[in-house]
C-alpha cells in the first residue's frame, strides 16, 4: 500500500497522526532491564502482519518528522455494525522470557465526534495471544486465541483536535505469562472503533548482568510470580576471592535486590572501579581484602607487579613472625658503657642499650665469660663454676649479676645485643667486652642507717663508715624512692660525709633508702633497705621545739580518731563514697536506668544499650549472632529507614525451619547508622513475652547486617484492620487489645517506655495475636512518618502522645497509657486516623481544652470509658497497664458487659439528626466509677449531688462535707472535677443535656 494513497484514506477517517502529543512513535524508552522481542518502530520494511477480513485493518506506512517510516495498522469501520476485524502479528520467539509485556501506542477517535455512528462506533479493541512452538505461516484461526484484555484509550480525539492536527497518543501495557511454548502470536480484534495502531513493542524483563561487591551476576529472568525473588549466586571478578558467598535477588521488575556477601581482591591486587588491579612495582598488598596497595615498608622493595610481600634490602631481614607490613630490620649494634660493681660475693655488670636497635623492640642480651691469665692472649671459657643471675642469655634488662667467681682472676665478659633477626644475618655479631680483676677484697657494706630528724619535706640520715673500706672512701651514694611508687622512679644523691639531709620530699610519706660507698676500687653493694617517713604539719613545729613526744602522741591520737571515724561511717552506712566505689559499672548502669522507678525484686530491668561504651557489646549481650547461611530470604515485604524488610526462613540446627522477617541494613551505611540499626535488636533482645515481637538474632559479622525477628503473617495492625473493616466481633477486638496491654504491662514492669505506641507499630500474626514492635526510643520517632517536630525541637507522633510528653518530653509508662487509649480507639474504629484530618496544632489545642475522641461507632461504653481514663490530663490518674489488663480480662469473662454501646447510653442532643460528639460519663455514678471512687456513690446521692452539672460545681468543702475523709480521695475527686468541668463546658457548648 503506497504512502500517498494511505494518507488520503487516513485523512478521510481522521487518523492522520504527524503531530502526536506525548512520546512520539519512535521514542520507545527502553531500559537496560528490558529485552525487546518486537518493536515495530525499528522495522525496516513493511510488517507483513496478517489481517482478516481484507476490508478491516489496513497497513499504512507514514513518515515521521525526521522522515523515518512508521509502520502502522489502522481501521475505521465505524458506520457499519458487527465489525470483527483481526490483525495478527508474525510469530514472535519467546527467547528466555517467562512473562512478556506488550506496549501498544495508538490513537483512537472519540465516537461522539463522528456524526451518525451512534450504536455502531466503539472506543475499545481487544488484545489476544496464542502460544506455539513454530510459525503457522498464513494460517490464522481466531478461535485458537486467548484474550488478554480489552484495551480502551485514556485519550480519544475529536474532529476539533484533528483540525488542530494534535492527536493524543495512548500508551497501554499488558502483561502475559507464563509463556511455555517457544513463541507466540499477538492478535488485535477491532469491533468497530476508529483506531491507528502506531507501534507495538513486545519485551520481557530481566535483571541485567551486574557487578556488585566484586561479584558478577549474570542476566537473570525474574519469576512469573511477581512477589517472589530469584536467588542468584555471584562469581568473583578476576583476581578476587569470595569472602561471604555473594548473592543477589532478582525482583519481578528486573531490579537486583538485597546484596548479600561479597568478594575481595586477592593478595597483590586492589580494587579500582569494581575490578581488581595488580599492585604497581614498589607497592604491595599482603592480605586479601578491600584495601589499597601500599608502598613497600622501609628497607624493602619490589620490581614486579602484583606483589604480596616486598623483599628486604641487603643487610635487612624479616623475622619469621614479622608481618609483611613491617619494615625490614637488622641486628643491633653492640651494647655501650659496660660497668662493673663488685662486692664480697657478687659482681654486677651493667650497660647501656646499643645505639642502633636495628629498628626492632625485641632486644635481648647475652653475656659470655672468659678467664684470662696475666697473658691476655691465653684465655679460656669460664666453664660451669661461675653463675649468672638471672641467666647469661636472653637477658631483657641491661644488667646481670655474676656469682661464684674466683679471686685473683681476670675475667673478660663479652656482652652482645641481639634481636629477632640476629640469627638471619651471617655478619659477625658486634659485642662489648669488659675485663674485671677480682684481686682485691670485696668492699664492705654500709651497716645501720639512722633517721636523725624529719620535717614535712626533709629527712636527715646518718650511718657508720664501713669497717673495712677498700681504699680511701670517695663518697657515698644515697638512692631513695617513695615506698608506694617503688616501680616508677627513684632519685639519688651523693655525700662525702656519712650523713645526708635529703630535701624536696612529700609530707607524711614513707621513703625507702639504700646507701653504697665508692672507693677508688669502685662501688660497694647497696646497703639493706631502710624505711623512714617524712613528718606532717605538726612535725615542723615539733622538730623546731624538739617535742618529739608530742608528735608521737598526736600521731597516735590522730590515727585512733581516724579509725573511730571510719568505723562510725561504715556502721551507720553513711560512707557513700565507699559504697559507690564498690558499685560495679553494670550496677551503675542499672541504677542509672531505673530512672527513679521503683523496680520489683525478681523482675528483669531493661538496660539502655546507650549506656554501653561499645554498642557492639550491647548487641552481643542481648542478641544471638546468626550464621547467614541459616537464613533463606524469600521476598521483599517492605522498606524500612535502614533498608529492605524481607520475609524468609531461618533454620536452627535440630529444629524446624521457622518463618522470619529480616530487616537489612543497606550498604554504604556509616557507623552511626549501623549502631542505630542494631540498637533495636539490643532492646528487643532483652524482652521475652508472647505479646512482644521476638528477636531471633542478628547478623553482624557479614554484610548485609540483619535483624531477624519472628514473622507476623498479617503485618501491621492498622493496615490489617483497614483491610478487614467490620469483620471482627467485639470480643475478638478486645482480645487484640488485651494482648497489646499485656505486652505493654511487661514493658512497663521492665522499666521500658515505648514512646511510639500506635497501631502501625503493632504486628499481627495468623492467630490474630498482637505483638508490640518498633523499639529504639528516639530512633523510633526518627523513622515514624507520623512523628512531627514540636516547638521544643523533638520529633513526636502528636496524635498518639500524651500532653506532658509533647509539652516537655515527660515520657513515662503513663504517657504510654495515653497512647494505648489511642490504640484502643484505632482498633475499635478499624484503623481510622485519630482526630481524622485535624492538623497537629488543632489536636494539641483541643486536647488542652479538654476535648477527647468520641467513641467509634459500635464501641461498647465500657471501652470508651477506659479510653477516656487513659486520656486523663493528670498522668497519675491514668490506669496502669496492670489495671488495663485486668479490666479487659473482666470484660472478656463477662461479654454482656460489652453489649451496652455508647450510642445506647448517650443522651441525644436537642436537634434531631445531629450526631452527638461528646459521649461522656452519663451519670454521676459512672463518673465516680471511672475515677475509681465508686464507694462514695451513696454519699453523693444522699447529699443531692445527682447530676454531673451539679457535681461539676462542687467545692473541696462540699466534698469533705458529704463524707470523703481521706485526703488522697479528696484530692483525686478535686482534680477529676477540673477535667469534668472542661467536659461540661464542651457539652453545654454543643447543646447536650446531661
Ligand atoms: N514487617 C516488619 N516486621 C515484620 C514481621 N515481623 N512480620 C511481618 N511483617 C513485618
Amino acid at each position: 500500500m503506497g504512502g500517498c494513497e494511505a494518507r488520503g484514506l487516513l485523512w478521510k477517517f481522521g487518523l492522520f497522526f504527524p503531530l502526536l502529543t506525548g512520546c512520539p512513535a519512535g521514542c520507545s524508552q527502553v531500559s537496560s532491564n528490558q529485552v525487546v522481542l518486537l518493536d515495530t518502530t525499528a522495522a525496516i520494511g513493511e510488517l507483513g502482519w496478517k489481517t482478516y477480513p481484507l476490508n478491516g485493518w489496513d497497513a499504512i506506512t507514514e513518515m515521521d518528522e525526521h522522515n523515518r517510516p512508521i509502520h502502522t495498522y489502522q481501521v475505521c469501520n465505524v458506520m457499519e455494525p458487527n465489525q470483527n476485524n483481526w490483525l495478527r502479528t508474525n510469530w514472535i520467539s519467546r527467547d528466555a522470557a517467562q512473562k512478556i509485556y506488550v506496549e501498544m501506542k495508538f490513537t483512537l477517535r472519540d465516537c461522539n465526534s463522528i456524526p451518525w455512528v451512534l450504536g455502531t462506533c466503539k472506543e475499545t479493541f481487544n488484545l489476544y495471544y496464542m502460544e506455539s512452538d513454530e510459525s503457522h505461516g498464513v494460517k490464522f484461526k481466531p478461535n485458537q486465541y486467548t484474550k488478554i484484555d480489552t484495551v480502551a484509550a485514556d485519550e480519544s480525539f475529536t474532529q476539533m483536535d484533528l483540525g488542530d492536527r494534535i492527536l493524543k497518543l495512548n500508551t497501554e501495557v499488558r502483561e502475559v505469562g507464563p509463556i511455555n511454548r517457544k513463541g507466540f502470536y499477538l492478535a488485535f480484534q477491532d469491533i468497530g472503533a476508529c483506531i491507528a495502531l502506531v507501534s507495538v513493542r513486545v519485551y520481557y524483563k530481566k535483571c541485567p548482568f551486574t557487578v556488585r561487591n566484586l561479584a558478577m551476576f549474570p542476566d537473570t529472568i525474574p519469576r512469573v510470580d511477581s512477589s517472589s525473588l530469584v536467588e542468584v549466586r555471584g562469581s568473583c571478578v578476576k583476581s578476587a576471592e569470595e569472602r561471604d558467598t555473594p548473592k543477589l535477588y532478582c525482583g519481578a521488575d528486573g531490579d537486583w535486590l538485597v546484596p548479600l556477601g561479597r568478594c575481595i581482591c586477592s593478595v597483590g591486587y586492589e580494587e579500582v572501579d569494581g575490578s581488581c588491579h595488580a599492585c604497581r612495582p614498589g607497592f604491595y598488598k599482603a592480605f586479601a581484602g578491600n584495601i589499597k596497595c601500599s608502598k613497600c615498608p622501609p628497607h624493602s622493595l619490589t620490581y614486579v607487579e602484583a606483589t604480596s610481600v616486598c623483599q628486604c634490602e641487603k643487610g635487612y631481614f624479616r623475622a619469621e613472625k614479622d608481618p609483611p607490613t613491617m619494615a625490614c630490620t637488622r641486628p643491633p649494634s653492640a651494647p655501650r658503657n659496660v660497668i662493673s660493681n663488685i662486692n664480697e660475693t657478687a659482681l654486677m655488670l651493667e650497660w647501656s642499650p646499643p645505639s642502633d636497635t636495628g629498628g626492632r623492640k625485641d632486644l635481648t642480651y647475652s653475656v659470655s665469660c672468659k678467664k684470662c691469665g696475666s697473658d691476655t692472649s691465653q684465655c679460656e671459657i669460664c666453664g660451669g663454676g661461675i653463675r649468672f643471675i638471672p641467666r647469661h642469655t636472653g637477658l631483657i634488662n641491661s644488667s646481670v649479676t655474676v656469682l661464684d667467681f674466683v679471686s685473683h682472676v681476670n675475667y673478660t665478659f663479652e656482652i652482645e645485643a641481639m634481636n629477632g633477626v640476629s640469627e638471619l644475618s651471617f655478619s659477625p655479631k658486634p659485642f662489648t667486652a669488659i675485663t674485671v680483676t677480682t684481686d682485691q677484697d670485696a668492699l664492705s657494706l654500709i651497716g645501720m642507717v639512722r633517721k636523725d630528724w624529719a620535717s614535712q619535706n626533709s629527712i636527715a640520715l646518718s650511718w657508720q663508715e664501713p669497717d673495712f673500706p677498700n681504699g680511701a672512701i670517695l663518697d657515698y651514694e644515697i638512692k631513695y624512692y617513695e615506698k608506694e611508687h617503688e616501680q616508677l622512679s627513684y632519685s639519688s644523691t651523693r655525700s662525702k660525709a656519712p650523713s645526708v639531709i635529703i630535701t624536696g620530699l612529700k609530707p607524711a610519706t614513707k621513703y625507702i633508702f639504700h646507701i653504697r660507698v665508692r672507693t677508688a676500687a669502685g662501688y660497694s653493694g647497696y646497703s639493706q633497705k631502710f624505711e623512714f617517713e617524712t613528718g606532717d604539719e605538726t612535725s615542723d613545729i615539733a622538730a623546731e621545739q624538739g617535742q618529739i613526744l608530742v608528735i608521737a602522741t598526736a600521731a597516735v591520737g590522730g590515727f585512733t580518731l581516724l579509725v573511730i571515724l571510719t568505723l562510725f561511717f561504715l556502721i551507720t552506712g553513711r560512707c557513700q563514697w565507699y559504697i559507690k566505689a564498690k558499685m560495679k559499672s553494670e550496677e551503675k548502669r542499672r541504677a542509672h536506668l531505673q530512672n527513679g522507678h521503683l523496680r520489683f525484686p525478681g523482675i528483669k530491668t531493661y538496660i539502655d544499650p546507650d549506656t554501653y561504651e561499645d554498642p557492639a557489646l550491647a548487641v552481643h549481650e542481648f542478641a544471638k549472632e546468626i550464621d547467614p547461611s541459616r537464613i533463606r530470604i524469600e521476598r521483599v515485604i517492605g522498606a524500612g529507614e535502614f533498608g529492605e524488610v524481607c520475609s524468609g526462613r531461618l533454620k536452627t540446627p535440630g529444629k524446624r525451619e521457622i518463618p522470619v522477617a529480616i530487616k537489612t541494613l543497606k550498604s554504604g551505611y556509616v557507623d552511626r547508622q549501623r549502631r542505630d540499626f542494631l540498637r533495636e535488636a539490643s532492646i528487643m533482645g532483652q524482652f521475652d513475652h508472647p505479646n512482644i515481637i521476638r528477636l531471633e538474632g542478628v547478623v553482624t559479622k557479614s554484610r548485609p547486617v540483619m535483624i531477624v525477628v519472628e514473622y507476623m503473617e498479617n503485618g501491621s495492625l492498622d493496615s490489617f484492620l483497614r483491610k478487614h473493616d467490620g469483620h471482627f466481633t467485639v470480643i475478638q477486638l478486645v482480645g487484640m487489645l488485651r494482648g497489646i496491654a499485656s505486652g505493654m504491662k511487661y514493658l512497663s514492669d521492665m522499666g521500658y517506655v515505648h514512646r511510639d505506641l500506635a497501631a502501625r507499630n503493632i504486628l499481627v500474626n495468623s492467630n490474630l495475636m498482637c505483638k508490640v514492635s518498633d523499639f529504639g526510643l528516639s530512633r523510633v520517632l526518627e523513622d515514624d512518618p507520623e512523628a512531627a517536630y514540636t516547638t521544643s525541637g523533638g520529633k513526636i507522633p502528636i496524635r498518639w502522645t500524651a500532653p506532658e510528653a509533647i509539652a516537655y518530653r515527660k515520657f513515662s509508662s503513663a504517657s504510654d497509657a495515653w497512647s494505648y487509649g489511642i490504640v484502643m480507639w484505632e482498633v475499635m474504629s478499624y484503623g481510622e486516623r485519630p482526630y481524622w484530618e485535624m492538623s497537629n496544632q488543632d489536636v494539641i489545642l483541643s486536647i488542652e481544652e479538654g476535648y477527647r475522641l468520641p467513641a467509634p461507632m459500635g464501641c461498647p461504653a465500657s471501652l470508651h470509658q477506659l479510653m477516656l481514663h487513659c486520656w486523663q490530663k493528670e498522668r497519675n490518674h491514668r490506669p496502669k497497664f496492670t489495671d488495663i489488663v485486668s479490666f479487659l480480662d473482666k470484660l472478656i469473662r463477662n461479654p454482656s458487659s460489652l453489649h451496652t454501646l455508647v450510642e445506647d447510653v448517650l443522651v441525644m442532643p436537642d436537634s434531631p439528626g445531629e450526631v452527638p460528639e461528646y459521649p461522656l460519663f452519663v451519670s454521676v455514678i459512672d463518673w465516680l466509677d471511672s475515677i475509681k471512687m465508686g464507694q462514695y456513690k451513696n454519699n453523693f446521692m444522699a447529699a443531692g449531688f445527682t447530676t454531673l452539672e451539679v457535681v461539676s460545681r462542687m467545692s473541696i468543702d462540699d466534698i469533705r462535707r458529704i463524707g470523703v475523709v481521706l485526703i488522697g480521695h479528696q484530692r483525686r475527686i478535686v482534680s477529676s472535677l477540673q477535667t469534668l468541668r472542661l467536659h461540661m463546658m464542651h457539652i453545654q457548648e454543643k447543646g447536650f443535656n446531661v
Side-chain angles (χ1 to χ4, degrees), residues 743-757:
M744 288 308 297
K745 169 176 155 27
Y746 174 82
L747 293 182
S748 69
D749 287 348
M750 289 267 294
Y752 179 79
V753 179
H754 191 291
R755 297 180 177 214
D756 197 12
L757 178 59

mmCIF file with all atom_site columns, all heavy atoms in Angstrom, residues 743-757:
data_model
loop_
_atom_site.group_PDB
_atom_site.id
_atom_site.type_symbol
_atom_site.label_atom_id
_atom_site.label_alt_id
_atom_site.label_comp_id
_atom_site.label_asym_id
_atom_site.label_entity_id
_atom_site.label_seq_id
_atom_site.pdbx_PDB_ins_code
_atom_site.Cartn_x
_atom_site.Cartn_y
_atom_site.Cartn_z
_atom_site.occupancy
_atom_site.B_iso_or_equiv
_atom_site.pdbx_formal_charge
_atom_site.auth_seq_id
_atom_site.auth_comp_id
_atom_site.auth_asym_id
_atom_site.auth_atom_id
_atom_site.pdbx_PDB_model_num
ATOM 1   N N   . GLY A 1 743 ? 1.449  -6.973 76.638 1.00 0.00 ? 743 GLY A N   1
ATOM 2   C CA  . GLY A 1 743 ? 2.821  -6.663 76.200 1.00 0.00 ? 743 GLY A CA  1
ATOM 3   C C   . GLY A 1 743 ? 3.312  -5.379 76.835 1.00 0.00 ? 743 GLY A C   1
ATOM 4   O O   . GLY A 1 743 ? 4.449  -5.280 77.301 1.00 0.00 ? 743 GLY A O   1
ATOM 5   N N   . MET A 1 744 ? 2.432  -4.379 76.902 1.00 0.00 ? 744 MET A N   1
ATOM 6   C CA  . MET A 1 744 ? 2.832  -3.082 77.464 1.00 0.00 ? 744 MET A CA  1
ATOM 7   C C   . MET A 1 744 ? 3.053  -3.185 78.973 1.00 0.00 ? 744 MET A C   1
ATOM 8   O O   . MET A 1 744 ? 3.908  -2.497 79.527 1.00 0.00 ? 744 MET A O   1
ATOM 9   C CB  . MET A 1 744 ? 1.775  -2.014 77.158 1.00 0.00 ? 744 MET A CB  1
ATOM 10  C CG  . MET A 1 744 ? 1.738  -1.584 75.724 1.00 0.00 ? 744 MET A CG  1
ATOM 11  S SD  . MET A 1 744 ? 3.346  -1.095 75.064 1.00 0.00 ? 744 MET A SD  1
ATOM 12  C CE  . MET A 1 744 ? 3.753  0.303  76.078 1.00 0.00 ? 744 MET A CE  1
ATOM 13  N N   . LYS A 1 745 ? 2.264  -4.044 79.616 1.00 0.00 ? 745 LYS A N   1
ATOM 14  C CA  . LYS A 1 745 ? 2.462  -4.236 81.073 1.00 0.00 ? 745 LYS A CA  1
ATOM 15  C C   . LYS A 1 745 ? 3.877  -4.803 81.294 1.00 0.00 ? 745 LYS A C   1
ATOM 16  O O   . LYS A 1 745 ? 4.610  -4.350 82.169 1.00 0.00 ? 745 LYS A O   1
ATOM 17  C CB  . LYS A 1 745 ? 1.401  -5.183 81.628 1.00 0.00 ? 745 LYS A CB  1
ATOM 18  C CG  . LYS A 1 745 ? 1.689  -5.647 83.048 1.00 0.00 ? 745 LYS A CG  1
ATOM 19  C CD  . LYS A 1 745 ? 0.558  -6.494 83.593 1.00 0.00 ? 745 LYS A CD  1
ATOM 20  C CE  . LYS A 1 745 ? 0.958  -7.460 84.691 1.00 0.00 ? 745 LYS A CE  1
ATOM 21  N NZ  . LYS A 1 745 ? 2.070  -7.158 85.518 1.00 0.00 ? 745 LYS A NZ  1
ATOM 22  N N   . TYR A 1 746 ? 4.223  -5.781 80.438 1.00 0.00 ? 746 TYR A N   1
ATOM 23  C CA  . TYR A 1 746 ? 5.552  -6.387 80.568 1.00 0.00 ? 746 TYR A CA  1
ATOM 24  C C   . TYR A 1 746 ? 6.646  -5.315 80.387 1.00 0.00 ? 746 TYR A C   1
ATOM 25  O O   . TYR A 1 746 ? 7.587  -5.216 81.165 1.00 0.00 ? 746 TYR A O   1
ATOM 26  C CB  . TYR A 1 746 ? 5.679  -7.493 79.515 1.00 0.00 ? 746 TYR A CB  1
ATOM 27  C CG  . TYR A 1 746 ? 7.049  -8.113 79.424 1.00 0.00 ? 746 TYR A CG  1
ATOM 28  C CD1 . TYR A 1 746 ? 7.441  -9.116 80.307 1.00 0.00 ? 746 TYR A CD1 1
ATOM 29  C CD2 . TYR A 1 746 ? 7.962  -7.693 78.458 1.00 0.00 ? 746 TYR A CD2 1
ATOM 30  C CE1 . TYR A 1 746 ? 8.705  -9.680 80.221 1.00 0.00 ? 746 TYR A CE1 1
ATOM 31  C CE2 . TYR A 1 746 ? 9.221  -8.252 78.365 1.00 0.00 ? 746 TYR A CE2 1
ATOM 32  C CZ  . TYR A 1 746 ? 9.597  -9.244 79.240 1.00 0.00 ? 746 TYR A CZ  1
ATOM 33  O OH  . TYR A 1 746 ? 10.844 -9.792 79.160 1.00 0.00 ? 746 TYR A OH  1
ATOM 34  N N   . LEU A 1 747 ? 6.458  -4.471 79.349 1.00 0.00 ? 747 LEU A N   1
ATOM 35  C CA  . LEU A 1 747 ? 7.480  -3.448 79.091 1.00 0.00 ? 747 LEU A CA  1
ATOM 36  C C   . LEU A 1 747 ? 7.570  -2.465 80.251 1.00 0.00 ? 747 LEU A C   1
ATOM 37  O O   . LEU A 1 747 ? 8.662  -2.092 80.683 1.00 0.00 ? 747 LEU A O   1
ATOM 38  C CB  . LEU A 1 747 ? 7.161  -2.682 77.803 1.00 0.00 ? 747 LEU A CB  1
ATOM 39  C CG  . LEU A 1 747 ? 7.245  -3.478 76.507 1.00 0.00 ? 747 LEU A CG  1
ATOM 40  C CD1 . LEU A 1 747 ? 6.955  -2.576 75.311 1.00 0.00 ? 747 LEU A CD1 1
ATOM 41  C CD2 . LEU A 1 747 ? 8.624  -4.106 76.331 1.00 0.00 ? 747 LEU A CD2 1
ATOM 42  N N   . SER A 1 748 ? 6.388  -2.053 80.792 1.00 0.00 ? 748 SER A N   1
ATOM 43  C CA  . SER A 1 748 ? 6.461  -1.062 81.872 1.00 0.00 ? 748 SER A CA  1
ATOM 44  C C   . SER A 1 748 ? 7.036  -1.697 83.127 1.00 0.00 ? 748 SER A C   1
ATOM 45  O O   . SER A 1 748 ? 7.784  -1.053 83.863 1.00 0.00 ? 748 SER A O   1
ATOM 46  C CB  . SER A 1 748 ? 5.115  -0.377 82.109 1.00 0.00 ? 748 SER A CB  1
ATOM 47  O OG  . SER A 1 748 ? 4.218  -1.291 82.658 1.00 0.00 ? 748 SER A OG  1
ATOM 48  N N   . ASP A 1 749 ? 6.756  -2.982 83.353 1.00 0.00 ? 749 ASP A N   1
ATOM 49  C CA  . ASP A 1 749 ? 7.379  -3.658 84.511 1.00 0.00 ? 749 ASP A CA  1
ATOM 50  C C   . ASP A 1 749 ? 8.904  -3.714 84.352 1.00 0.00 ? 749 ASP A C   1
ATOM 51  O O   . ASP A 1 749 ? 9.643  -3.699 85.328 1.00 0.00 ? 749 ASP A O   1
ATOM 52  C CB  . ASP A 1 749 ? 6.852  -5.093 84.661 1.00 0.00 ? 749 ASP A CB  1
ATOM 53  C CG  . ASP A 1 749 ? 5.417  -5.110 85.176 1.00 0.00 ? 749 ASP A CG  1
ATOM 54  O OD1 . ASP A 1 749 ? 4.947  -4.045 85.617 1.00 0.00 ? 749 ASP A OD1 1
ATOM 55  O OD2 . ASP A 1 749 ? 4.770  -6.177 85.121 1.00 0.00 ? 749 ASP A OD2 1
ATOM 56  N N   . MET A 1 750 ? 9.354  -3.800 83.094 1.00 0.00 ? 750 MET A N   1
ATOM 57  C CA  . MET A 1 750 ? 10.808 -3.844 82.857 1.00 0.00 ? 750 MET A CA  1
ATOM 58  C C   . MET A 1 750 ? 11.431 -2.453 82.956 1.00 0.00 ? 750 MET A C   1
ATOM 59  O O   . MET A 1 750 ? 12.650 -2.302 82.845 1.00 0.00 ? 750 MET A O   1
ATOM 60  C CB  . MET A 1 750 ? 11.078 -4.356 81.431 1.00 0.00 ? 750 MET A CB  1
ATOM 61  C CG  . MET A 1 750 ? 10.794 -5.806 81.219 1.00 0.00 ? 750 MET A CG  1
ATOM 62  S SD  . MET A 1 750 ? 12.209 -6.858 81.452 1.00 0.00 ? 750 MET A SD  1
ATOM 63  C CE  . MET A 1 750 ? 13.341 -6.436 80.174 1.00 0.00 ? 750 MET A CE  1
ATOM 64  N N   . GLY A 1 751 ? 10.553 -1.420 83.006 1.00 0.00 ? 751 GLY A N   1
ATOM 65  C CA  . GLY A 1 751 ? 11.095 -0.051 83.070 1.00 0.00 ? 751 GLY A CA  1
ATOM 66  C C   . GLY A 1 751 ? 11.349 0.511  81.690 1.00 0.00 ? 751 GLY A C   1
ATOM 67  O O   . GLY A 1 751 ? 12.082 1.474  81.532 1.00 0.00 ? 751 GLY A O   1
ATOM 68  N N   . TYR A 1 752 ? 10.730 -0.099 80.668 1.00 0.00 ? 752 TYR A N   1
ATOM 69  C CA  . TYR A 1 752 ? 10.933 0.395  79.308 1.00 0.00 ? 752 TYR A CA  1
ATOM 70  C C   . TYR A 1 752 ? 9.743  1.250  78.884 1.00 0.00 ? 752 TYR A C   1
ATOM 71  O O   . TYR A 1 752 ? 8.598  0.828  79.002 1.00 0.00 ? 752 TYR A O   1
ATOM 72  C CB  . TYR A 1 752 ? 11.098 -0.789 78.347 1.00 0.00 ? 752 TYR A CB  1
ATOM 73  C CG  . TYR A 1 752 ? 11.284 -0.339 76.917 1.00 0.00 ? 752 TYR A CG  1
ATOM 74  C CD1 . TYR A 1 752 ? 12.519 0.130  76.480 1.00 0.00 ? 752 TYR A CD1 1
ATOM 75  C CD2 . TYR A 1 752 ? 10.228 -0.332 76.021 1.00 0.00 ? 752 TYR A CD2 1
ATOM 76  C CE1 . TYR A 1 752 ? 12.693 0.574  75.181 1.00 0.00 ? 752 TYR A CE1 1
ATOM 77  C CE2 . TYR A 1 752 ? 10.394 0.102  74.718 1.00 0.00 ? 752 TYR A CE2 1
ATOM 78  C CZ  . TYR A 1 752 ? 11.635 0.551  74.315 1.00 0.00 ? 752 TYR A CZ  1
ATOM 79  O OH  . TYR A 1 752 ? 11.805 1.002  73.014 1.00 0.00 ? 752 TYR A OH  1
ATOM 80  N N   . VAL A 1 753 ? 10.027 2.434  78.405 1.00 0.00 ? 753 VAL A N   1
ATOM 81  C CA  . VAL A 1 753 ? 8.974  3.332  77.910 1.00 0.00 ? 753 VAL A CA  1
ATOM 82  C C   . VAL A 1 753 ? 9.048  3.310  76.388 1.00 0.00 ? 753 VAL A C   1
ATOM 83  O O   . VAL A 1 753 ? 10.109 3.573  75.818 1.00 0.00 ? 753 VAL A O   1
ATOM 84  C CB  . VAL A 1 753 ? 9.197  4.762  78.445 1.00 0.00 ? 753 VAL A CB  1
ATOM 85  C CG1 . VAL A 1 753 ? 8.127  5.698  77.915 1.00 0.00 ? 753 VAL A CG1 1
ATOM 86  C CG2 . VAL A 1 753 ? 9.196  4.755  79.971 1.00 0.00 ? 753 VAL A CG2 1
ATOM 87  N N   . HIS A 1 754 ? 7.931  2.975  75.749 1.00 0.00 ? 754 HIS A N   1
ATOM 88  C CA  . HIS A 1 754 ? 7.980  2.750  74.301 1.00 0.00 ? 754 HIS A CA  1
ATOM 89  C C   . HIS A 1 754 ? 8.049  4.047  73.520 1.00 0.00 ? 754 HIS A C   1
ATOM 90  O O   . HIS A 1 754 ? 8.820  4.191  72.592 1.00 0.00 ? 754 HIS A O   1
ATOM 91  C CB  . HIS A 1 754 ? 6.748  1.930  73.885 1.00 0.00 ? 754 HIS A CB  1
ATOM 92  C CG  . HIS A 1 754 ? 6.834  1.435  72.474 1.00 0.00 ? 754 HIS A CG  1
ATOM 93  N ND1 . HIS A 1 754 ? 6.767  2.269  71.391 1.00 0.00 ? 754 HIS A ND1 1
ATOM 94  C CD2 . HIS A 1 754 ? 6.996  0.187  71.974 1.00 0.00 ? 754 HIS A CD2 1
ATOM 95  C CE1 . HIS A 1 754 ? 6.875  1.556  70.281 1.00 0.00 ? 754 HIS A CE1 1
ATOM 96  N NE2 . HIS A 1 754 ? 7.016  0.285  70.614 1.00 0.00 ? 754 HIS A NE2 1
ATOM 97  N N   . ARG A 1 755 ? 7.243  5.020  73.863 1.00 0.00 ? 755 ARG A N   1
ATOM 98  C CA  . ARG A 1 755 ? 7.184  6.354  73.246 1.00 0.00 ? 755 ARG A CA  1
ATOM 99  C C   . ARG A 1 755 ? 6.516  6.402  71.875 1.00 0.00 ? 755 ARG A C   1
ATOM 100 O O   . ARG A 1 755 ? 6.295  7.479  71.361 1.00 0.00 ? 755 ARG A O   1
ATOM 101 C CB  . ARG A 1 755 ? 8.578  6.964  73.062 1.00 0.00 ? 755 ARG A CB  1
ATOM 102 C CG  . ARG A 1 755 ? 9.299  7.202  74.333 1.00 0.00 ? 755 ARG A CG  1
ATOM 103 C CD  . ARG A 1 755 ? 10.640 7.798  74.006 1.00 0.00 ? 755 ARG A CD  1
ATOM 104 N NE  . ARG A 1 755 ? 11.352 8.122  75.225 1.00 0.00 ? 755 ARG A NE  1
ATOM 105 C CZ  . ARG A 1 755 ? 12.164 9.149  75.350 1.00 0.00 ? 755 ARG A CZ  1
ATOM 106 N NH1 . ARG A 1 755 ? 12.351 9.955  74.342 1.00 0.00 ? 755 ARG A NH1 1
ATOM 107 N NH2 . ARG A 1 755 ? 12.773 9.370  76.470 1.00 0.00 ? 755 ARG A NH2 1
ATOM 108 N N   . ASP A 1 756 ? 6.298  5.281  71.232 1.00 0.00 ? 756 ASP A N   1
ATOM 109 C CA  . ASP A 1 756 ? 5.673  5.348  69.906 1.00 0.00 ? 756 ASP A CA  1
ATOM 110 C C   . ASP A 1 756 ? 4.658  4.218  69.764 1.00 0.00 ? 756 ASP A C   1
ATOM 111 O O   . ASP A 1 756 ? 4.621  3.540  68.742 1.00 0.00 ? 756 ASP A O   1
ATOM 112 C CB  . ASP A 1 756 ? 6.755  5.273  68.823 1.00 0.00 ? 756 ASP A CB  1
ATOM 113 C CG  . ASP A 1 756 ? 6.236  5.756  67.469 1.00 0.00 ? 756 ASP A CG  1
ATOM 114 O OD1 . ASP A 1 756 ? 5.132  6.341  67.433 1.00 0.00 ? 756 ASP A OD1 1
ATOM 115 O OD2 . ASP A 1 756 ? 6.922  5.554  66.463 1.00 0.00 ? 756 ASP A OD2 1
ATOM 116 N N   . LEU A 1 757 ? 3.859  4.050  70.810 1.00 0.00 ? 757 LEU A N   1
ATOM 117 C CA  . LEU A 1 757 ? 2.842  3.013  70.762 1.00 0.00 ? 757 LEU A CA  1
ATOM 118 C C   . LEU A 1 757 ? 1.712  3.503  69.859 1.00 0.00 ? 757 LEU A C   1
ATOM 119 O O   . LEU A 1 757 ? 1.128  4.562  70.102 1.00 0.00 ? 757 LEU A O   1
ATOM 120 C CB  . LEU A 1 757 ? 2.331  2.731  72.186 1.00 0.00 ? 757 LEU A CB  1
ATOM 121 C CG  . LEU A 1 757 ? 1.224  1.700  72.300 1.00 0.00 ? 757 LEU A CG  1
ATOM 122 C CD1 . LEU A 1 757 ? 1.678  0.357  71.739 1.00 0.00 ? 757 LEU A CD1 1
ATOM 123 C CD2 . LEU A 1 757 ? 0.801  1.532  73.754 1.00 0.00 ? 757 LEU A CD2 1
#
